[in-house]
Amino acid sequence: MAGIKDFRRILFKLTQDKKRYPTVELFLPKSWLDLEEEVKALKEESLVPVIPLQALIEIAQDKDPHFKNKDIMEALLYLHMTGEVLHFACVPGLKDYVFVSPTWLIDVIKCVISPAFEGTLDTAPLPDSRMPKEQMAALWEQFNLDIDQYNLLQTLATAFGLWYPEQGGYVIPTLMQ
């Protein structure tokens, strides 16, 4: 029994380590927790992986009319830091959107920047890390992207240097050999 007691003590001590878990002992306002639940519901109930920031603000204020924009932005930063959402507040073109499904975004991006993505589309290897527009469009069809989501991904990709548009297609730096 001493081994189990020691294990519990060590495990508890690890979970209270503020260096490893900076949010431990952080008391969150109920409105933040409600917003987190709303985001989780959006992920589960909807095929919408990204929503306008204003829509999320409206959702939060419908739940709690006293939830001020400033407080919503703080809650959103917390959700971003914990990986529940992705919100690029400092990136023009992205700051007005919230990715409520970060895994969706990662899945879409890795299909383009990973060398293994070629099997996804049954296509020949890319010459000089260039992808024709038609091939990129075929990839987006697999993810059922609408034009707004497509444009948002283009903005994100350019902002973070994932791929660059060029005449007739895209350059994907991670695929350069």
Side-chain angles (χ1 to χ4, degrees):
M1 286 303 253
I4 291 177
K5 286 181 181 178
D6 288 342
F7 175 73
R8 284 183 177 174
R9 183 182 48 76
I10 292 168
L11 185 60
F12 180 77
K13 187 176 178 180
L14 283 173
T15 62
Q16 300 305 305
D17 185 349
K18 290 183 182 179
K19 287 182 183 175
R20 285 194 174 119
Y21 307 104
T23 58
V24 73
E25 296 181 3
L26 179 65
F27 293 99
L28 300 175
K30 181 178 180 335
S31 55
W32 289 25
L33 298 173
D34 290 343
L35 182 58
E36 183 176 26
E37 290 304 313
E38 292 295 325
V39 166
K40 287 179 181 179
L42 280 172
K43 279 186 218 183
E44 292 173 11
E45 297 170 5
S46 151
L47 297 175
V48 181
V50 59
I51 64 171
L53 174 61
Q54 188 57 43
L56 190 66
I57 289 171
E58 290 170 10
I59 289 169
Q61 290 176 336
D62 284 348
K63 190 82 173 169
D64 179 356
H66 302 290
F67 207 175
K68 294 181 173 72
N69 284 12
K70 177 180 103 32
D71 298 329
I72 293 169
M73 297 309 291
E74 288 178 7
L76 188 56
L77 177 60
Y78 167 77
L79 294 174
H80 177 88
M81 288 173 47
T82 59
E84 196 65 44
V85 301
L86 290 175
H87 179 239
F88 303 103
C90 297
V91 180
L94 298 177
K95 66 182 180 177
D96 295 327
Y97 295 91
V98 178
F99 291 90
V100 294
S101 180
T103 55
W104 173 87
L105 180 61
I106 300 304
D107 288 344
V108 171
I109 290 171
K110 76 179 178 186
C111 282
V112 177
I113 66 171
S114 169
F117 90 92
E118 292 166 6
T120 307
L121 293 173
D122 296 327
T123 58
L126 300 175
D128 300 325
S129 73
R130 286 172 166 70
M131 179 185 286
K133 285 184 180 180
E134 298 78 23
Q135 192 173 357
M136 185 73 86
L139 183 64
W140 296 149
E141 281 181 25
Q142 293 181 359
F143 288 96
N144 299 317
L145 295 180
D146 64 29
I147 191 68
D148 292 332
Q149 292 169 335
Y150 169 82
N151 289 334
L152 197 58
L153 280 174
Q154 289 303 109
T155 300
L156 184 137
T158 303
F160 292 103
L162 302 174
W163 62 84
Y164 301 96
E166 69 170 11
Q167 187 173 353
Y170 302 88
V171 175
I172 305 166
T174 59
L175 300 179
M176 290 183 171
Q177 297 180 3

Short mmCIF file of all heavy atoms in Angstrom, two decimals, residues 63-110:
data_model
loop_
_atom_site.label_atom_id
_atom_site.label_comp_id
_atom_site.label_asym_id
_atom_site.label_seq_id
_atom_site.Cartn_x
_atom_site.Cartn_y
_atom_site.Cartn_z
N LYS A 63 -25.73 33.88 -24.04
CA LYS A 63 -25.65 33.06 -22.82
C LYS A 63 -25.59 33.94 -21.57
O LYS A 63 -26.19 33.61 -20.56
CB LYS A 63 -24.41 32.17 -22.91
CG LYS A 63 -24.30 31.12 -21.88
CD LYS A 63 -25.12 29.92 -22.25
CE LYS A 63 -24.86 28.80 -21.28
NZ LYS A 63 -25.78 27.74 -21.42
N ASP A 64 -24.85 35.05 -21.66
CA ASP A 64 -24.71 35.96 -20.53
C ASP A 64 -24.69 37.40 -21.07
O ASP A 64 -23.65 37.86 -21.54
CB ASP A 64 -23.41 35.67 -19.79
CG ASP A 64 -23.17 36.59 -18.60
OD1 ASP A 64 -23.98 37.53 -18.38
OD2 ASP A 64 -22.16 36.39 -17.90
N PRO A 65 -25.82 38.10 -20.99
CA PRO A 65 -25.90 39.46 -21.53
C PRO A 65 -24.92 40.44 -20.90
O PRO A 65 -24.64 41.49 -21.47
CB PRO A 65 -27.34 39.88 -21.24
CG PRO A 65 -28.08 38.62 -20.98
CD PRO A 65 -27.09 37.63 -20.46
N HIS A 66 -24.37 40.12 -19.74
CA HIS A 66 -23.43 41.01 -19.05
C HIS A 66 -21.98 40.74 -19.45
O HIS A 66 -21.07 41.39 -18.94
CB HIS A 66 -23.60 40.90 -17.53
CG HIS A 66 -24.98 41.22 -17.08
ND1 HIS A 66 -25.49 42.50 -17.13
CD2 HIS A 66 -25.97 40.43 -16.60
CE1 HIS A 66 -26.74 42.48 -16.69
NE2 HIS A 66 -27.05 41.23 -16.35
N PHE A 67 -21.78 39.77 -20.32
CA PHE A 67 -20.44 39.38 -20.77
C PHE A 67 -19.95 40.46 -21.75
O PHE A 67 -20.40 40.54 -22.88
CB PHE A 67 -20.52 38.03 -21.45
CG PHE A 67 -19.27 37.19 -21.43
CD1 PHE A 67 -19.31 35.89 -21.93
CD2 PHE A 67 -18.07 37.66 -20.93
CE1 PHE A 67 -18.18 35.09 -21.92
CE2 PHE A 67 -16.93 36.86 -20.92
CZ PHE A 67 -16.99 35.57 -21.42
N LYS A 68 -19.04 41.29 -21.31
CA LYS A 68 -18.54 42.41 -22.12
C LYS A 68 -17.53 41.92 -23.16
O LYS A 68 -16.85 40.92 -22.96
CB LYS A 68 -17.88 43.45 -21.21
CG LYS A 68 -18.85 44.13 -20.26
CD LYS A 68 -18.10 45.16 -19.43
CE LYS A 68 -19.04 45.98 -18.59
NZ LYS A 68 -19.63 45.30 -17.47
N ASN A 69 -17.42 42.65 -24.26
CA ASN A 69 -16.49 42.29 -25.33
C ASN A 69 -15.06 42.08 -24.80
O ASN A 69 -14.38 41.15 -25.20
CB ASN A 69 -16.50 43.34 -26.43
CG ASN A 69 -17.71 43.24 -27.32
OD1 ASN A 69 -18.67 42.53 -27.01
ND2 ASN A 69 -17.69 43.96 -28.42
N LYS A 70 -14.61 42.98 -23.94
CA LYS A 70 -13.26 42.88 -23.38
C LYS A 70 -13.09 41.56 -22.63
O LYS A 70 -12.06 40.88 -22.78
CB LYS A 70 -13.01 44.06 -22.44
CG LYS A 70 -11.67 44.05 -21.75
CD LYS A 70 -11.51 45.26 -20.83
CE LYS A 70 -11.66 45.06 -19.39
NZ LYS A 70 -11.36 43.96 -18.63
N ASP A 71 -14.09 41.17 -21.87
CA ASP A 71 -14.03 39.92 -21.11
C ASP A 71 -14.10 38.71 -22.04
O ASP A 71 -13.45 37.69 -21.79
CB ASP A 71 -15.15 39.87 -20.07
CG ASP A 71 -15.02 40.99 -19.05
OD1 ASP A 71 -13.88 41.39 -18.76
OD2 ASP A 71 -16.06 41.46 -18.56
N ILE A 72 -14.87 38.84 -23.09
CA ILE A 72 -14.96 37.75 -24.08
C ILE A 72 -13.60 37.54 -24.73
O ILE A 72 -13.16 36.41 -24.93
CB ILE A 72 -16.05 38.04 -25.13
CG1 ILE A 72 -17.43 38.01 -24.46
CG2 ILE A 72 -15.97 37.04 -26.28
CD1 ILE A 72 -18.55 38.53 -25.32
N MET A 73 -12.92 38.64 -25.05
CA MET A 73 -11.59 38.54 -25.67
C MET A 73 -10.59 37.89 -24.71
O MET A 73 -9.73 37.12 -25.14
CB MET A 73 -11.11 39.91 -26.15
CG MET A 73 -11.99 40.52 -27.23
SD MET A 73 -12.32 39.42 -28.63
CE MET A 73 -10.70 39.34 -29.37
N GLU A 74 -10.70 38.18 -23.42
CA GLU A 74 -9.83 37.53 -22.43
C GLU A 74 -10.14 36.04 -22.35
O GLU A 74 -9.23 35.21 -22.28
CB GLU A 74 -10.00 38.18 -21.06
CG GLU A 74 -9.37 39.55 -20.97
CD GLU A 74 -9.60 40.22 -19.61
OE1 GLU A 74 -10.13 39.56 -18.68
OE2 GLU A 74 -9.23 41.39 -19.48
N ALA A 75 -11.42 35.69 -22.36
CA ALA A 75 -11.81 34.28 -22.35
C ALA A 75 -11.32 33.58 -23.61
O ALA A 75 -10.84 32.44 -23.56
CB ALA A 75 -13.33 34.16 -22.22
N LEU A 76 -11.40 34.28 -24.73
CA LEU A 76 -10.94 33.72 -26.00
C LEU A 76 -9.43 33.48 -25.98
O LEU A 76 -8.95 32.45 -26.46
CB LEU A 76 -11.33 34.65 -27.15
CG LEU A 76 -11.10 34.15 -28.56
CD1 LEU A 76 -11.82 32.83 -28.79
CD2 LEU A 76 -11.59 35.19 -29.55
N LEU A 77 -8.69 34.40 -25.38
CA LEU A 77 -7.25 34.20 -25.23
C LEU A 77 -6.96 32.97 -24.38
O LEU A 77 -6.08 32.17 -24.71
CB LEU A 77 -6.61 35.44 -24.61
CG LEU A 77 -5.11 35.36 -24.34
CD1 LEU A 77 -4.33 35.10 -25.63
CD2 LEU A 77 -4.61 36.63 -23.66
N TYR A 78 -7.70 32.80 -23.29
CA TYR A 78 -7.55 31.61 -22.45
C TYR A 78 -7.84 30.34 -23.27
O TYR A 78 -7.07 29.38 -23.22
CB TYR A 78 -8.48 31.69 -21.23
CG TYR A 78 -8.60 30.38 -20.51
CD1 TYR A 78 -7.58 29.94 -19.66
CD2 TYR A 78 -9.71 29.57 -20.68
CE1 TYR A 78 -7.67 28.72 -19.01
CE2 TYR A 78 -9.81 28.35 -20.02
CZ TYR A 78 -8.79 27.93 -19.19
OH TYR A 78 -8.89 26.72 -18.55
N LEU A 79 -8.93 30.34 -24.03
CA LEU A 79 -9.28 29.17 -24.85
C LEU A 79 -8.23 28.90 -25.91
O LEU A 79 -7.94 27.75 -26.24
CB LEU A 79 -10.66 29.36 -25.48
CG LEU A 79 -11.84 29.40 -24.51
CD1 LEU A 79 -13.13 29.74 -25.25
CD2 LEU A 79 -11.96 28.08 -23.77
N HIS A 80 -7.63 29.97 -26.44
CA HIS A 80 -6.54 29.82 -27.41
C HIS A 80 -5.32 29.20 -26.73
O HIS A 80 -4.70 28.27 -27.26
CB HIS A 80 -6.20 31.18 -28.02
CG HIS A 80 -5.04 31.14 -28.97
ND1 HIS A 80 -5.19 30.86 -30.31
CD2 HIS A 80 -3.71 31.34 -28.76
CE1 HIS A 80 -4.00 30.89 -30.89
NE2 HIS A 80 -3.09 31.18 -29.98
N MET A 81 -4.98 29.70 -25.55
CA MET A 81 -3.80 29.20 -24.82
C MET A 81 -3.96 27.74 -24.41
O MET A 81 -2.98 27.00 -24.36
CB MET A 81 -3.54 30.07 -23.59
CG MET A 81 -3.00 31.44 -23.94
SD MET A 81 -2.86 32.56 -22.53
CE MET A 81 -2.07 31.56 -21.29
N THR A 82 -5.18 27.31 -24.15
CA THR A 82 -5.41 25.92 -23.74
C THR A 82 -5.64 25.01 -24.94
O THR A 82 -5.79 23.80 -24.77
CB THR A 82 -6.61 25.82 -22.78
OG1 THR A 82 -7.78 26.32 -23.42
CG2 THR A 82 -6.33 26.56 -21.49
N GLY A 83 -5.68 25.57 -26.15
CA GLY A 83 -5.82 24.75 -27.36
C GLY A 83 -7.25 24.41 -27.71
O GLY A 83 -7.49 23.65 -28.64
N GLU A 84 -8.19 25.00 -27.01
CA GLU A 84 -9.60 24.73 -27.31
C GLU A 84 -10.02 25.38 -28.62
O GLU A 84 -10.85 24.84 -29.36
CB GLU A 84 -10.47 25.23 -26.16
CG GLU A 84 -11.86 24.69 -26.16
CD GLU A 84 -11.92 23.18 -25.94
OE1 GLU A 84 -11.21 22.66 -25.06
OE2 GLU A 84 -12.69 22.53 -26.67
N VAL A 85 -9.46 26.54 -28.92
CA VAL A 85 -9.71 27.25 -30.18
C VAL A 85 -8.38 27.81 -30.67
O VAL A 85 -7.39 27.83 -29.94
CB VAL A 85 -10.72 28.42 -30.01
CG1 VAL A 85 -12.05 27.95 -29.48
CG2 VAL A 85 -10.14 29.54 -29.16
N LEU A 86 -8.40 28.28 -31.91
CA LEU A 86 -7.28 29.07 -32.43
C LEU A 86 -7.84 30.41 -32.86
O LEU A 86 -8.80 30.49 -33.63
CB LEU A 86 -6.62 28.37 -33.62
CG LEU A 86 -5.83 27.10 -33.29
CD1 LEU A 86 -5.33 26.45 -34.57
CD2 LEU A 86 -4.69 27.40 -32.35
N HIS A 87 -7.24 31.46 -32.32
CA HIS A 87 -7.64 32.81 -32.69
C HIS A 87 -6.36 33.62 -32.85
O HIS A 87 -5.60 33.79 -31.91
CB HIS A 87 -8.53 33.43 -31.60
CG HIS A 87 -8.93 34.82 -31.93
ND1 HIS A 87 -8.64 35.89 -31.11
CD2 HIS A 87 -9.58 35.35 -33.00
CE1 HIS A 87 -9.11 37.00 -31.66
NE2 HIS A 87 -9.67 36.70 -32.80
N PHE A 88 -6.13 34.08 -34.07
CA PHE A 88 -4.92 34.82 -34.39
C PHE A 88 -5.23 36.31 -34.34
O PHE A 88 -5.40 36.96 -35.37
CB PHE A 88 -4.39 34.38 -35.75
CG PHE A 88 -4.14 32.90 -35.82
CD1 PHE A 88 -5.02 32.04 -36.47
CD2 PHE A 88 -3.03 32.35 -35.21
CE1 PHE A 88 -4.79 30.68 -36.52
CE2 PHE A 88 -2.79 30.98 -35.25
CZ PHE A 88 -3.68 30.15 -35.90
N ALA A 89 -5.30 36.84 -33.12
CA ALA A 89 -5.74 38.21 -32.88
C ALA A 89 -4.82 39.26 -33.50
O ALA A 89 -5.26 40.37 -33.76
CB ALA A 89 -5.87 38.46 -31.38
N CYS A 90 -3.58 38.93 -33.74
CA CYS A 90 -2.62 39.91 -34.25
C CYS A 90 -2.34 39.75 -35.73
O CYS A 90 -1.44 40.40 -36.26
CB CYS A 90 -1.31 39.81 -33.45
SG CYS A 90 -1.52 40.21 -31.73
N VAL A 91 -3.06 38.87 -36.41
CA VAL A 91 -2.80 38.64 -37.82
C VAL A 91 -3.93 39.26 -38.65
O VAL A 91 -5.08 38.80 -38.56
CB VAL A 91 -2.69 37.13 -38.13
CG1 VAL A 91 -2.43 36.90 -39.62
CG2 VAL A 91 -1.60 36.48 -37.29
N PRO A 92 -3.62 40.30 -39.42
CA PRO A 92 -4.66 40.91 -40.26
C PRO A 92 -5.28 39.84 -41.17
O PRO A 92 -4.59 38.97 -41.69
CB PRO A 92 -3.89 41.95 -41.09
CG PRO A 92 -2.66 42.23 -40.29
CD PRO A 92 -2.32 40.94 -39.58
N GLY A 93 -6.57 39.90 -41.32
CA GLY A 93 -7.26 38.93 -42.15
C GLY A 93 -7.71 37.69 -41.38
O GLY A 93 -8.55 36.94 -41.85
N LEU A 94 -7.12 37.46 -40.21
CA LEU A 94 -7.49 36.31 -39.40
C LEU A 94 -8.12 36.71 -38.06
O LEU A 94 -8.81 35.91 -37.44
CB LEU A 94 -6.27 35.41 -39.13
CG LEU A 94 -5.61 34.78 -40.33
CD1 LEU A 94 -4.38 34.00 -39.89
CD2 LEU A 94 -6.56 33.88 -41.08
N LYS A 95 -7.86 37.94 -37.64
CA LYS A 95 -8.28 38.37 -36.30
C LYS A 95 -9.79 38.36 -36.13
O LYS A 95 -10.28 38.29 -35.01
CB LYS A 95 -7.70 39.73 -35.96
CG LYS A 95 -8.22 40.85 -36.83
CD LYS A 95 -7.58 42.16 -36.47
CE LYS A 95 -8.14 43.27 -37.36
NZ LYS A 95 -7.62 44.55 -37.02
N ASP A 96 -10.54 38.40 -37.21
CA ASP A 96 -11.99 38.43 -37.13
C ASP A 96 -12.62 37.05 -37.22
O ASP A 96 -13.84 36.92 -37.42
CB ASP A 96 -12.56 39.33 -38.23
CG ASP A 96 -12.15 40.78 -38.04
OD1 ASP A 96 -12.00 41.20 -36.87
OD2 ASP A 96 -11.97 41.48 -39.04
N TYR A 97 -11.80 36.00 -37.06
CA TYR A 97 -12.30 34.62 -37.14
C TYR A 97 -11.74 33.79 -35.99
O TYR A 97 -10.65 34.06 -35.49
CB TYR A 97 -11.89 33.97 -38.48
CG TYR A 97 -12.55 34.65 -39.65
CD1 TYR A 97 -11.93 35.71 -40.29
CD2 TYR A 97 -13.81 34.26 -40.07
CE1 TYR A 97 -12.54 36.36 -41.35
CE2 TYR A 97 -14.43 34.89 -41.13
CZ TYR A 97 -13.79 35.94 -41.76
OH TYR A 97 -14.41 36.58 -42.80
N VAL A 98 -12.50 32.77 -35.63
CA VAL A 98 -12.08 31.84 -34.58
C VAL A 98 -12.19 30.43 -35.14
O VAL A 98 -13.26 30.02 -35.62
CB VAL A 98 -12.96 31.98 -33.32
CG1 VAL A 98 -12.53 30.97 -32.26
CG2 VAL A 98 -12.91 33.40 -32.77
N PHE A 99 -11.09 29.70 -35.08
CA PHE A 99 -11.10 28.29 -35.49
C PHE A 99 -11.56 27.50 -34.27
O PHE A 99 -10.80 27.31 -33.32
CB PHE A 99 -9.71 27.85 -35.95
CG PHE A 99 -9.30 28.48 -37.25
CD1 PHE A 99 -8.62 29.69 -37.25
CD2 PHE A 99 -9.60 27.90 -38.46
CE1 PHE A 99 -8.24 30.30 -38.44
CE2 PHE A 99 -9.24 28.49 -39.66
CZ PHE A 99 -8.55 29.70 -39.64
N VAL A 100 -12.81 27.04 -34.29
CA VAL A 100 -13.35 26.31 -33.15
C VAL A 100 -12.93 24.84 -33.18
O VAL A 100 -13.13 24.13 -32.21
CB VAL A 100 -14.88 26.44 -33.05
CG1 VAL A 100 -15.29 27.87 -32.75
CG2 VAL A 100 -15.57 25.91 -34.29
N SER A 101 -12.32 24.44 -34.27
CA SER A 101 -11.81 23.08 -34.38
C SER A 101 -10.35 23.13 -34.84
O SER A 101 -10.05 23.00 -36.03
CB SER A 101 -12.64 22.27 -35.39
OG SER A 101 -12.14 20.95 -35.47
N PRO A 102 -9.43 23.30 -33.89
CA PRO A 102 -8.01 23.36 -34.26
C PRO A 102 -7.53 22.10 -34.98
O PRO A 102 -6.70 22.20 -35.89
CB PRO A 102 -7.29 23.52 -32.92
CG PRO A 102 -8.29 24.18 -32.04
CD PRO A 102 -9.62 23.60 -32.47
N THR A 103 -8.07 20.95 -34.64
CA THR A 103 -7.63 19.72 -35.32
C THR A 103 -8.02 19.73 -36.79
O THR A 103 -7.28 19.23 -37.63
CB THR A 103 -8.18 18.46 -34.64
OG1 THR A 103 -9.60 18.55 -34.55
CG2 THR A 103 -7.60 18.27 -33.25
N TRP A 104 -9.17 20.30 -37.11
CA TRP A 104 -9.57 20.42 -38.50
C TRP A 104 -8.54 21.24 -39.27
O TRP A 104 -8.11 20.88 -40.36
CB TRP A 104 -10.96 21.06 -38.60
CG TRP A 104 -11.37 21.37 -40.01
CD1 TRP A 104 -12.01 20.53 -40.88
CD2 TRP A 104 -11.16 22.60 -40.73
NE1 TRP A 104 -12.20 21.17 -42.09
CE2 TRP A 104 -11.70 22.43 -42.02
CE3 TRP A 104 -10.58 23.81 -40.39
CZ2 TRP A 104 -11.67 23.44 -42.98
CZ3 TRP A 104 -10.54 24.82 -41.34
CH2 TRP A 104 -11.09 24.63 -42.62
N LEU A 105 -8.15 22.37 -38.69
CA LEU A 105 -7.18 23.25 -39.34
C LEU A 105 -5.85 22.53 -39.55
O LEU A 105 -5.28 22.59 -40.65
CB LEU A 105 -6.97 24.52 -38.51
CG LEU A 105 -5.97 25.53 -39.08
CD1 LEU A 105 -6.42 26.02 -40.46
CD2 LEU A 105 -5.79 26.69 -38.13
N ILE A 106 -5.39 21.83 -38.55
CA ILE A 106 -4.13 21.09 -38.66
C ILE A 106 -4.24 20.01 -39.74
O ILE A 106 -3.32 19.83 -40.54
CB ILE A 106 -3.73 20.49 -37.31
CG1 ILE A 106 -3.55 21.57 -36.26
CG2 ILE A 106 -2.51 19.60 -37.44
CD1 ILE A 106 -2.55 22.65 -36.60
N ASP A 107 -5.36 19.30 -39.78
CA ASP A 107 -5.55 18.26 -40.80
C ASP A 107 -5.49 18.85 -42.20
O ASP A 107 -4.87 18.28 -43.11
CB ASP A 107 -6.88 17.54 -40.59
CG ASP A 107 -6.89 16.63 -39.39
OD1 ASP A 107 -5.79 16.31 -38.86
OD2 ASP A 107 -7.99 16.24 -38.95
N VAL A 108 -6.13 19.99 -42.40
CA VAL A 108 -6.13 20.63 -43.72
C VAL A 108 -4.71 21.05 -44.10
O VAL A 108 -4.24 20.77 -45.20
CB VAL A 108 -7.08 21.84 -43.74
CG1 VAL A 108 -6.91 22.64 -45.02
CG2 VAL A 108 -8.52 21.39 -43.61
N ILE A 109 -4.03 21.70 -43.18
CA ILE A 109 -2.69 22.20 -43.47
C ILE A 109 -1.72 21.05 -43.74
O ILE A 109 -0.94 21.10 -44.69
CB ILE A 109 -2.18 23.10 -42.33
CG1 ILE A 109 -2.97 24.40 -42.32
CG2 ILE A 109 -0.69 23.37 -42.46
CD1 ILE A 109 -2.71 25.27 -41.12
N LYS A 110 -1.77 20.00 -42.93
CA LYS A 110 -0.80 18.92 -43.12
C LYS A 110 -1.00 18.19 -44.44
O LYS A 110 -0.05 17.65 -44.99
CB LYS A 110 -0.80 17.96 -41.94
CG LYS A 110 -1.95 17.01 -41.87
CD LYS A 110 -1.82 16.10 -40.66
CE LYS A 110 -3.00 15.18 -40.59
NZ LYS A 110 -3.01 14.39 -39.37
#
